[in-house]
């Protein structure tokens, strides 16, 4: 008998305001054609004034609790992946805990930028497998619109705001790959690439700062490292690309997603795509895609999923889970 961290519920929230590509032409020299052809992005959501990462996360958390048929106090822990927490501290996770009226358990943030949700998922899995928690809510929530330099056309057109949440629950399995739940995870980082993607602000500067990215450099790492980590996660449990029902990638760039799918031997029909509607929502992109994929009727119980992401750090990783 093996303990598995099994998905009990999923939910998401997208802010009301939708910004189409063409709107950016009002303030930078760009075009819908450039954004669409280089990134696959057509539109994204931006949070309203005063709407913080913890607000988005709370809405996603409530949707996931509803989907799971649980109350907040049925959850033992909240792990929130974000790089755009409302404040330096306390964590956005504890703000969500309070918003939900959750008076027990514990909550903390994980900061691994666009790979944050995969890192949070691996941590949640470890808490469950080690017996420290029976139910863990894993949230990805971001307001990247707050760290955009609106004069930098090479970045401001790429990112969006949103949140997604997954509730994992300890269930007994057989230890075989047919079990529902997380089957394997694979995490990496390499701080020597810190200049490829970073925010030029923080406590050492006295300002929040703006996102800076060497797009081509990050692209080069992404097309190489995402397939590598996905293959590594599969190999840990003796599986390969042919076993996968759905690839749920970090939604940064359609060209990166297509390249990774090809390397995994997966047709695009087996990939959950939301990049066109959400843009790059960093740590929120994977739980958003899982929730939307379920809502569309694509992801069904028993499906084998590979999920992968790379972002600032650089940090990257993947996970295999049976829905
Ligand atoms: O989530 C974290 C991980 N992040 C990523 O995975 C992002 C990885 N990188 C990328 O997705 C791509 O590199 C980008 C979408 C950011 C850029 O695509 P690219 O094909 O690498 O374009 P580029 O940066 O090489 O720029 C090509 C040209 C440049 O002009 P010149 O130098 O060739 O004259 C840019 O100045 O496109 C220009 N350009 C734009 N033109 C119109 C850059 N941004 C824009 C824009 N509109 N918004």
């Amino acid at each position: 008998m093996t303990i598995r961290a099994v998905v009990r519920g999923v939910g998401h929230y997208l802010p009301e305001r939708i910004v189409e590509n063409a709107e950016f032409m009002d303030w930078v020299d760009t075009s819908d054609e450039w954004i669409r052809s280089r990134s696959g992005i057509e539109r994204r959501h931006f949070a309203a004034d005063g709407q913080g990462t913890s607000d988005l996360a709370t809405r996603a958390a409530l949707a996931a609790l509803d989907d799971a048929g649980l109350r907040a106090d049925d959850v033992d822990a909240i792990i929130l992946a974000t790089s755009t927490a409302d404040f330096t501290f306390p964590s956005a996770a504890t703000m969500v805990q309070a918003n939900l009226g959750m008076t027990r358990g514990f909550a903390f943030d994980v900061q691994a930028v666009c790979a944050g949700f995969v890192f949070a998922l691996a941590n949640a899995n470890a808490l469950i497998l080690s017996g420290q928690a029976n139910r863990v809510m894993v949230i990805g929530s971001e307001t990247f619109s707050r760290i955009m330099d609106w004069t930098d056309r090479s970045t401001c057109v790429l990112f969006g705001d949103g949140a997604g949440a997954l509730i994992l629950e300890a269930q007994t399995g057989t230890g075989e790959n047919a079990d529902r739940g997380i089957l394997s995870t694979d995490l990496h980082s390499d701080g020597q690439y810190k200049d490829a993607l970073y925010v030029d602000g923080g406590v050492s500067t006295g300002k929040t700062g703006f996102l800076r990215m060497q797009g081509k450099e990050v692209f080069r790492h992404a097309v190489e490292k995402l397939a590598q980590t996905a293959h590594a996660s599969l190999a840990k449990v003796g599986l390969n690309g042919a076993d996968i029902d759905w690839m749920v990638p970090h939604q940064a760039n359609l060209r990166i997603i297509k390249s990774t799918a090809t390397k995994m031997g997966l047709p695009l029909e087996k990939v959950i795509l939301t990049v066109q509607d959400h843009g790059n929502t960093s740590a929120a992109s994977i739980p958003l895609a899982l929730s939307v994929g379920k809502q569309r009727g694509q992801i069904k119980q028993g499906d084998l999923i590979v999920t992968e992401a790379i972002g600032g750090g650089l940090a990257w990783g993947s996970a295999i889970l049976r829905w």
Side-chain angles (χ1 to χ4, degrees):
M1 226 169 52
T2 312
I3 297 293
R4 296 286 197 190
V6 175
V7 175
R8 169 78 188 254
V10 65
H12 71 272
Y13 173 74
L14 288 158
E16 262 172 47
R17 184 175 169 216
I18 298 173
V19 177
E20 300 287 339
N21 285 348
E23 276 193 49
F24 288 89
M25 292 165 67
D26 292 345
W27 65 90
V28 283
D29 180 15
T30 190
S31 65
D32 175 48
E33 200 283 327
W34 190 96
I35 301 169
R36 218 178 259 255
S37 62
R38 298 291 174 128
S39 70
I41 297 165
E42 297 171 28
R43 60 194 64 81
R44 73 289 291 139
H45 294 245
F46 283 159
D49 287 347
Q51 201 177 26
T53 289
S54 65
D55 299 317
L56 273 49
T58 302
R59 301 283 289 261
L62 287 168
L65 285 169
D66 188 48
D67 186 51
L70 294 172
R71 292 171 304 114
D73 276 344
D74 296 328
V75 172
D76 301 309
I78 298 172
I79 308 180
L80 199 163
T82 189
S83 300
T84 48
D86 308 44
F87 298 101
T88 305
F89 73 79
S91 67
T94 52
M95 294 172 70
V96 173
Q97 185 187 25
N99 289 346
L100 295 176
M102 180 177 159
T103 52
R104 56 178 295 280
F106 58 96
F108 60 97
D109 288 356
V110 159
Q111 213 271 48
V113 201
C114 297
F117 188 78
V118 176
F119 277 62
L121 206 60
N123 275 278
N125 189 41
L127 285 175
I128 287 174
L129 299 193
S130 64
Q132 289 175 84
N134 276 319
R135 289 200 192 103
V136 183
M137 171 120 61
V138 192
I139 307 174
S141 183
E142 303 278 16
T143 47
F144 262 48
S145 63
R146 308 280 186 241
I147 51 167
M148 286 300 109
D149 174 352
W150 301 109
T151 66
D152 177 9
R153 68 176 182 171
S154 71
T155 54
C156 73
V157 300
L158 300 175
F159 294 87
D161 302 338
L166 204 64
I167 298 171
L168 294 172
E169 175 177 84
Q171 290 183 13
T172 50
T174 61
E176 305 290 322
N177 286 334
D179 285 348
R180 290 187 64 208
I182 296 177
L183 302 183
S184 69
T185 58
D186 184 61
L187 305 180
H188 301 269
S189 67
D190 190 341
Q192 71 175 309
Y193 299 117
K194 68 179 171 51
D195 295 335
L197 178 50
Y198 66 101
V199 171
D200 62 3
V203 289
S204 61
T205 66
K207 56 183 171 54
T208 307
F210 297 117
L211 180 144
R212 306 293 176 202
M213 178 166 73
Q214 297 168 22
K216 269 205 184 327
E217 171 82 349
V218 178
F219 192 100
R220 196 172 58 76
H221 285 287
V223 294
E224 174 198 310
K225 293 181 166 58
L226 290 173
Q228 267 172 10
T229 179
H231 278 301
S233 271
L234 282 167
K236 284 181 187 182
V237 282
L239 295 172
N240 61 54
D243 300 306
I244 293 298
D245 294 303
W246 292 107
M247 181 170 118
V248 184
H250 169 47
Q251 311 277 327
N253 185 312
L254 185 57
R255 289 185 293 146
I256 295 172
I257 293 171
K258 282 181 175 170
S259 155
T260 307
T262 302
K263 287 181 182 173
M264 303 295 296
L266 291 170
L268 211 53
E269 294 70 44
K270 288 193 168 190
V271 182
I272 303 290
L273 289 176
T274 54
V275 65
Q276 67 283 1
D277 296 324
H278 301 168
N280 182 347
T281 57
S282 189
S285 90
I286 289 172
L288 269 165
L290 288 169
S291 183
V292 168
K294 186 195 168 197
Q295 214 170 53
R296 286 180 189 153
Q298 293 174 299
I299 299 175
K300 297 193 184 66
Q301 188 166 316
D303 285 352
L304 190 71
I305 294 173
V306 60
T307 186
E308 37 78 348
I310 186 166
L314 296 174
W316 66 100
S318 62
I320 308 296
L321 77 136
R322 192 173 295 285
W323 193 259

